[in-house]
Amino acid sequence: MPADAPAVIHVLNGPNLNLLGQRQPEIYGYETLADIEARARTALAPGFDLLMRQSNHEGVLIDWVHEARSAACAIIINPGAYSHTSIALLDALNAYEGPVIEVHLSNIHRREAFRHHSYVSLRAEGAIVGLGAEGYVAATRHLCALLQRG
Ligand code: CA2
């Protein structure tokens, strides 16, 4: 008998996060997105998997949130600068029924005033800021525990 398919957490990353590890390590650290994915995987409980994605395009991120409606048990999202600008991304997340955790590598509240507000925070169950890659690990661990509890 085939084993049950894993429940998949979609990890969506917004613009410029493909540059992680290459520039501005004093703000964003030395780890690449691939390093962050490997770290987040260590926090997966049995029966869970994750799908790591990054796009520089708002519409692509929105399409991925729509796809998540039927494919993802939860969403972890670092929307990058779209956090502070995108009502369209908020609308897409509002149409998603599972839990959403927002992650920012840097502490957006210690930075420029325009980063202090996030539209995505209006939808997210939780937000983790300023913990670098550990934020993704904590979000993964939290979601697995939450979903295991049922
Ligand atoms: O702290 C975060 O995770 C941010 O979402 C990162 C965004 C920024 O616009 C948000 O306010 C906070 C920027 C990502 C840019 O990533 C880079 C990484 C390396 C080099 C240049 C940019």
Side-chain angles (χ1 to χ4, degrees), residues 15-17 19-24 28 78-81 83-84 103-108 111 115:
N16 299 308
L17 288 162
L19 299 177
L20 280 179
Q22 299 176 35
R23 304 287 295 274
Q24 297 185 271
Y28 299 118
N78 181 346
S83 321
H84 321 303
V103 171
H104 294 283
L105 294 159
S106 63
N107 181 352
I108 55 175
R111 301 185 64 191
R115 296 187 203 275

Side-chain angles (χ1 to χ4, degrees), residues 11 13 17 20 28 31-42 50 52 78 103 105 132-137 140:
V11 187
N13 294 279
L17 288 162
L20 280 179
Y28 299 118
E31 286 171 286
T32 65
L33 268 190
D35 296 332
I36 292 174
E37 176 180 355
R39 276 236 249 158
R41 283 187 174 282
T42 67
L50 64 78
M52 189 80 159
N78 181 346
V103 171
L105 294 159
E134 274 303 307
Y136 290 76
V137 178
T140 303

Side-chain angles (χ1 to χ4, degrees), residues 38-149:
R39 276 236 249 158
R41 283 187 174 282
T42 67
L44 284 171
F48 290 88
D49 195 2
L50 64 78
L51 174 67
M52 189 80 159
R53 290 173 144 178
Q54 186 278 330
S55 176
N56 294 324
H57 304 280
E58 187 176 13
V60 172
L61 291 163
I62 290 167
D63 286 344
W64 285 346
V65 172
H66 293 177
E67 189 183 317
R69 296 177 69 226
S70 59
C73 63
I75 293 175
I76 297 170
I77 186 163
N78 181 346
Y82 290 140
S83 321
H84 321 303
T85 62
S86 182
I87 297 168
L89 188 55
L90 171 63
D91 287 345
L93 287 164
N94 278 335
Y96 175 74
E97 289 184 355
V100 175
I101 303 291
E102 179 180 2
V103 171
H104 294 283
L105 294 159
S106 63
N107 181 352
I108 55 175
H109 303 292
R110 281 184 77 179
R111 301 185 64 191
E112 303 95 322
F114 62 80
R115 296 187 203 275
H116 296 177
H117 175 264
S118 166
Y119 286 103
V120 169
S121 291
L122 295 169
R123 165 63 182 87
E125 271 72 26
I128 303 171
V129 305
L131 300 187
E134 274 303 307
Y136 290 76
V137 178
T140 303
R141 184 177 302 115
H142 170 78
L143 286 168
C144 289
L146 177 79
L147 293 165
Q148 273 177 330
R149 282 199 298 269

